[in-house]
Amino acid sequence: MSIGNLRKRYESAGQGHLFTFWDDLSDTERDALRAQLEALDIERVNRIYQRAVSAEEELAQNAGKEVIEPLPEDAADSVIGDPVKEKEWRDIGLKAIARGEVGVLLMAGGQGSRLGSSAPKGCYDIGLPSHKTLFQYQAERIARLQTLAAQSAGKEAGEVVIPWYVMTSGPTRAETESFFTKHNYFGLDPKHVIFFEQGTLPCLTDDGKVFLETRSRVAVAPDGNGGLYAALRKPLSSDKSHTVLSDLERRKIQYVHSYCVDNCLVRIADPVFLGYCIQKQADCAAKVVPKSHPTESVGVIARRGDKFSVVEYSEISKEQAERRTPTGELAFRAGNIANHFYTTAFLKNVESFEEELTFHIARKKIPHVDLATGETVKPTKPNGMKLEMFVFDVFPFTKHFAVLEVARAEEFSPLKNAPGTGSDDPETSRRDLLAQHRRFLEAAGATVKEGVEIELSPLVTYAGEGLEAVKGKTFTRSGYVESVEELDALV
């Protein structure tokens, strides 16, 4: 597109100010700005802004008027205290994995800035005896599960593959890939680890004007974890037809597990969850944990009108939060943990209703260049907005939605806060993972002395299986083991 036509296009969209400094730019700066503006769908940005503002106004007007109800009985189930169902679902899930029908989507675009690190959050070491990072733990869980599925189906080691699709962001892409390369993909075959990148959207003023970060660069921010769906359609290589969706299709993947990188207890491609969803014939599903108390600051999965939705804790009244079922459980207890199941068919179908999805407004301090002076402005209070979509925004569009409740202590310990915070920080992640390993050993018939901390490599056990040899043993020494045999040294 000629620069004249490009300028006209932006002027027609009410964003002509992005050319304010054009005449003063060097050729290199002009080329950079032109490439950014040509790649940007400015009309879509304007539509997203209008929808987001309208939705925010509508939400404010309808506050307290909308009918919000707990999940209906037939939409949710629980593995807590039901080993028979758990085994049935695990068997179904393992068979699907063994047939090569399961893939995994990891949302790993965030940096560990709250943790005092500029590295991708998956590179973080929570202080385990092994000093393994979150990425390594998750890779080794995949490796162990591939082995378990192969064994259950009578296949050779290496015959079962769970492809891992790792969604990065612009700031984390290169460092994530080099981290995997440096560590030899943590033992996984690089052919089955696919990196892709979530999209970005321009940062906007409150009246919808795009900010210039510098005189030759538009200010942009990641489009939220809900950007996952559009990112699945972006080319992975110079071959424009090669996308995550086409790769899933080529591999004949039917079921996909998706999760966030910051949960050290996550059961990747959990065969129990997969089996449950397959049995329920769900096209989309969510794992939840019971809320710890009525006022816990966590979104819950509920019904908004006749649609499934994540309802933020601020949208539920005190009376609703404290409401209980006849069995004494909280009615609104399905705490959302960003742990989802999809059929590949559903992921492909998201494009058909994507224009109906509403982006959320996050008001932020956005550094920018002053259009009058050309000086950089670093605001001290929010001066504009970033637009983001959440991964759960597709829930209202599902035809067969299901929810599975799991035990928090076994499956959810997020890493959100700086060391020493006392909640959702590296110390609580470490504590929760080592406490789980103690339970695995004790459930297998061992005794672990008070104060003893034993870390079990994910390559030893995925969810407590394979530890029969410890029955009757008493462990008196702390340590990290990479095989069941090594446990004898800790007796």
Side-chain angles (χ1 to χ4, degrees):
M1 187 183 291
S2 72
I3 194 63
N5 286 341
L6 188 63
R7 194 191 285 251
K8 275 183 194 165
R9 182 180 156 203
Y10 272 80
E11 285 169 352
S12 299
Q15 304 284 4
H17 63 281
L18 297 175
F19 289 85
T20 298
F21 303 103
W22 182 263
D23 293 341
D24 302 322
L25 299 180
S26 68
D27 288 346
T28 305
E29 289 172 323
R30 285 184 182 182
D31 288 345
L33 180 59
R34 180 176 183 164
Q36 199 180 15
L37 296 179
E38 283 182 339
L40 191 60
D41 185 343
I42 193 62
E43 294 80 13
R44 175 175 176 260
V45 171
N46 285 347
R47 289 197 304 273
I48 287 171
Y49 166 77
Q50 292 295 347
R51 282 207 312 274
V53 170
S54 299
E56 189 179 58
E57 289 170 356
E58 195 178 325
L59 200 64
Q61 288 166 4
N62 292 335
K65 298 176 190 171
E66 233 174 357
V67 178
I68 296 173
E69 288 293 335
L71 288 171
E73 289 290 319
D74 62 351
D77 221 315
S78 178
V79 295
I80 301 171
D82 198 336
V84 176
K85 275 186 181 173
E86 189 175 349
K87 183 183 182 309
E88 182 185 350
W89 293 330
R90 182 183 294 106
D91 290 345
I92 295 170
L94 280 173
K95 283 174 183 165
I97 293 168
R99 289 193 299 266
E101 295 173 353
V102 174
V104 172
L105 286 173
L106 165 59
M107 293 174 281
Q111 293 169 294
S113 41
R114 281 202 218 165
L115 305 167
S117 166
S118 61
K121 203 184 256 191
C123 302
Y124 198 82
D125 167 7
I126 60 173
L128 292 165
S130 67
H131 291 289
K132 288 181 180 179
T133 60
L134 293 169
F135 278 142
Q136 182 165 357
Y137 243 79
Q138 292 162 25
E140 291 181 355
R141 284 197 182 119
I142 290 173
R144 172 66 181 168
L145 188 53
Q146 288 176 163
T147 300
L148 286 175
Q151 288 172 349
S152 72
K155 293 189 172 185
E156 294 292 319
E159 277 193 79
V160 173
V161 169
I162 302 170
W164 197 15
Y165 300 88
V166 180
M167 184 174 80
T168 65
S169 60
T172 64
R173 174 76 180 258
E175 198 168 350
T176 300
E177 290 199 44
S178 65
F179 192 73
F180 272 71
T181 303
K182 177 184 172 186
H183 294 281
N184 297 314
Y185 286 72
F186 312 105
L188 296 177
D189 186 335
K191 290 199 302 288
H192 308 306
V193 181
I194 299 96
F195 298 98
F196 66 110
E197 202 171 304
Q198 73 185 101
T200 58
L201 281 170
C203 303
L204 305 174
T205 64
D206 287 334
D207 57 356
K209 299 296 183 187
V210 174
F211 276 111
L212 275 173
E213 184 182 354
T214 68
R215 299 189 314 160
S216 60
R217 186 169 65 244
V218 171
V220 297
D223 54 5
N225 58 18
L228 168 74
Y229 304 108
L232 299 179
R233 301 193 301 271
K234 285 166 65 176
L236 291 171
S237 61
S238 55
D239 174 2
K240 301 289 189 224
S241 67
H242 183 210
T243 64
V244 172
L245 286 178
S246 75
D247 200 74
L248 290 167
E249 200 162 1
R250 178 180 66 80
R251 294 172 183 265
K252 297 183 169 56
I253 301 293
Q254 293 189 38
Y255 311 111
V256 175
H257 176 229
S258 171
Y259 69 98
C260 283
V261 74
D262 63 3
N263 176 13
C264 69
L265 295 180
V266 66
R267 294 189 178 175
I268 298 136
D270 176 17
V272 176
F273 185 38
L274 290 165
Y276 165 73
C277 297
I278 292 166
Q279 189 181 74
K280 293 279 284 190
Q281 296 185 308
D283 54 6
C284 176
K287 251 189 197 184
V288 298
V289 295
K291 280 179 73 171
S292 59
H293 56 275
T295 55
E296 183 184 5
S297 302
V298 62
V300 294
I301 298 180
R303 295 272 283 190
R304 199 191 290 272
D306 62 347
K307 304 280 188 188
F308 291 100
S309 182
V310 171
V311 179
E312 295 303 334
Y313 59 92
S314 55
E315 298 178 73
I316 294 177
S317 68
K318 185 173 183 290
E319 291 73 28
Q320 284 175 311
E322 292 175 350
R323 189 165 131 198
R324 295 197 177 264
T325 66
T327 57
E329 295 172 307
L330 290 173
F332 290 93
R333 71 175 181 278
N336 178 45
I337 60 172
N339 191 316
H340 305 137
F341 164 93
Y342 310 96
T343 60
T344 305
F346 178 82
L347 289 174
K348 287 173 69 177
N349 190 46
V350 170
E351 187 176 11
S352 70
F353 57 77
E354 204 164 41
E355 283 287 317
E356 298 175 62
L357 296 173
T358 300
F359 280 76
H360 307 269
I361 295 172
R363 287 186 167 74
K364 301 284 185 180
K365 293 180 280 194
I366 300 165
H368 61 283
V369 65
D370 186 299
L371 295 177
T373 66
E375 298 293 315
T376 298
V377 178
K378 292 194 174 174
T380 55
K381 59 184 182 180
N383 63 317
M385 60 177 76
K386 295 179 181 180
L387 297 170
E388 50 190 17
M389 192 185 288
F390 300 143
V391 72
F392 51 73
D393 287 335
V394 300
F395 289 178
F397 296 86
T398 56
K399 291 185 172 63
H400 304 287
F401 188 69
V403 174
L404 184 65
E405 183 182 75
V406 298
R408 183 186 294 242
E410 300 301 340
E411 301 206 33
F412 187 56
S413 181
L415 179 60
K416 304 284 186 193
N417 301 319
T421 307
S423 169
D424 296 345
D425 64 10
E427 292 83 6
T428 58
S429 291
R430 179 188 190 280
R431 177 201 70 200
D432 292 345
L433 192 56
L434 293 177
Q436 182 182 65
H437 292 184
R438 170 184 284 265
R439 288 193 299 275
F440 286 167
L441 291 167
E442 290 174 344
T447 301
V448 183
K449 288 288 190 185
E450 192 65 37
V452 169
E453 292 183 331
I454 297 175
E455 182 189 350
L456 303 169
S457 165
L459 298 171
V460 173
T461 185
Y462 175 86
E465 79 294 328
L467 299 173
E468 295 79 11
V470 305
K471 187 172 183 179
K473 293 180 180 176
T474 299
F475 294 103
T476 59
R477 297 175 59 201
S478 298
Y480 162 68
V481 299
E482 290 189 296
S483 70
V484 176
E485 292 74 25
E486 289 178 21
L487 280 163
D488 286 342
L490 303 179
V491 171

